[in-house]
Amino acid sequence: MRLPASVELPPVRLPAFVDLRPIGRCNLDCPFCFGPRHDVPSMDEETALRVASVLRDGGVQGVVISGGEPTLLPYLPDLVRELSDPLPDGRRPRVVLSTNGLAPLRAMERVLPGLSWIALPLESKDETEHKLMRTGVAPHRDKVLGLLREVRKNHQHVRVKLGTVVTRLNTKGATDVLDLIEDDGSLPHVWKVYQMSETNYGADNKDWLSIGDDEFEDVVARCQEAADRRGVPLRVYRNSTRTGSYFFVDPDCEVVVVDEDGERRTGNLFERLARGTLRPAELIAPARNAENFDGTYPDA
């Protein structure tokens, strides 16, 4: 979907990598979630495709589609196709779907052809710990493992990042999530361990969920040992390096960045583009933006 000539925007340099959050709604109720609030209205299809067109025409090299839960959007296949169209220089951007893994396979099969990566969550080898983390659908862990196997077996052009958020609830079982994957051929291409971000729902629950930096680093060390045993590259997200790494577009088209005080809303994407006031270098640290994306979702 190209922008009509009557609403074309002046050219502007966009960040190399963008997180598009077109939906806040989710079919889980995880206490550590740092995405938009679930009751925030979703982008309509026309707006989402317009955002996608702007990102692609602006030369954005990689986009993570997240939320909320993006598979709840009926237009998700069209959004993925729009984002995966060639860039002005002929290259194809890396398109990542960050999903909780609950969508039926028939729905995922409409989306997978346009993806470069899929990001799936597993929080603990221990079933009780995992249920406390991923609340709302009891067989969540089994569904994720099933989708992981399906992607690795039948959609080999899609690479898999497995994500584990570390909180007070899962410091023991988080280190052993790879043990849930018995077949080496189903292992993820990247395993990323996250320090819980104290944003949105994570901020609401930080007093009883968050752990200190030293305890988190102890978990990371044990995850590294587990990753080395299975030959899976480990990446680590630390709150100390979050500032300047992310350029979010939220469901209301607000540009959201992260600084020392947390997430900061900086104005409507289209309005800032139209005024020529969107200067990414003033909002993010380009090197951190690139390092965060490239380290998590490297080019094949």
Side-chain angles (χ1 to χ4, degrees):
M1 173 184 173
R2 301 291 179 182
L3 289 172
S6 60
V7 293
E8 283 188 358
L9 301 168
V12 63
R13 185 169 179 81
L14 292 169
F17 304 103
V18 171
D19 284 74
L20 175 57
R21 304 192 290 196
I23 184 171
R25 184 163 57 95
C26 189
N27 46 6
L28 291 178
D29 190 22
C30 307
F32 57 85
C33 179
F34 67 88
R37 297 285 179 174
H38 298 333
D39 55 356
V40 173
S42 302
M43 279 186 192
D44 60 48
E45 180 175 2
E46 180 181 1
T47 301
L49 294 178
R50 187 182 177 208
V51 171
S53 180
V54 166
L55 297 183
R56 191 196 54 250
D57 291 347
V60 171
Q61 300 170 34
V63 180
V64 179
I65 308 170
S66 63
E69 176 45 47
T71 62
L72 298 178
L73 295 167
Y75 59 78
L76 180 62
D78 293 330
L79 179 61
V80 170
R81 279 192 292 270
E82 178 71 10
L83 285 168
S84 61
D85 276 353
L87 298 170
D89 61 7
R91 293 179 300 161
R92 288 189 177 273
R94 275 168 278 173
V95 180
V96 182
L97 178 67
S98 180
T99 173
N100 61 29
L102 291 176
L105 180 58
R106 64 182 179 276
M108 292 303 304
E109 287 175 339
R110 299 177 60 206
V111 176
L112 286 165
L115 297 180
S116 306
W117 284 80
I118 188 169
L120 297 171
L122 283 176
E123 313 304 351
S124 179
K125 181 183 178 183
D126 182 89
E127 185 175 2
T128 300
E129 285 186 358
H130 188 88
K131 286 181 179 179
L132 290 172
M133 291 280 289
R134 291 284 170 177
T135 54
V137 177
H140 173 264
R141 194 177 64 171
D142 292 340
K143 286 180 176 291
V144 169
L145 288 168
L147 180 56
L148 173 59
R149 289 191 295 269
E150 170 67 22
V151 173
R152 295 291 279 119
K153 180 180 179 181
N154 295 319
H155 301 272
Q156 295 182 12
H157 73 283
V158 181
R159 294 162 71 82
V160 179
K161 183 213 79 175
L162 192 66
T164 301
V165 180
V166 179
T167 74
R168 193 171 301 282
L169 298 175
N170 66 328
T171 53
K172 294 181 179 179
T175 61
D176 299 321
V177 295
L178 294 182
D179 291 345
L180 293 167
I181 306 168
E182 296 179 358
D183 175 18
D184 284 354
S186 294
L187 287 168
H189 297 88
V190 169
W191 181 26
K192 190 163 185 176
V193 176
Y194 293 80
Q195 187 173 17
M196 192 191 89
S197 294
E198 297 176 358
T199 305
N200 292 335
Y201 296 101
D204 296 344
N205 299 306
K206 65 179 182 180
D207 290 344
W208 61 275
L209 269 187
S210 190
I211 62 174
D213 291 347
D214 290 344
E215 188 173 1
F216 176 70
E217 293 301 333
D218 177 67
V219 174
V220 168
R222 288 185 284 131
C223 287
Q224 186 66 67
E225 293 175 0
D228 290 344
R229 284 196 301 271
R230 298 299 297 273
V232 177
L234 183 74
R235 301 291 182 264
V236 182
Y237 163 92
R238 296 174 173 87
N239 288 326
S240 61
T241 60
R242 191 180 182 208
T243 296
S245 297
Y246 294 94
F247 184 100
F248 296 106
V249 180
D250 264 10
D252 58 359
C253 292
E254 282 282 309
V255 172
V256 179
V257 297
V258 180
D259 55 25
E260 290 79 3
D261 297 322
E263 288 193 357
R264 176 166 59 90
R265 293 165 66 84
T266 68
N268 181 276
L269 173 70
F270 296 121
E271 292 176 0
R272 294 198 62 168
L273 286 171
R275 295 197 305 265
T277 61
L278 187 62
R279 302 181 181 89
E282 298 176 0
L283 298 173
I284 63 167
R288 275 194 174 181
N289 174 252
E291 180 183 11
N292 177 62
F293 189 97
D294 280 330
T296 308
Y297 309 108
D299 222 346

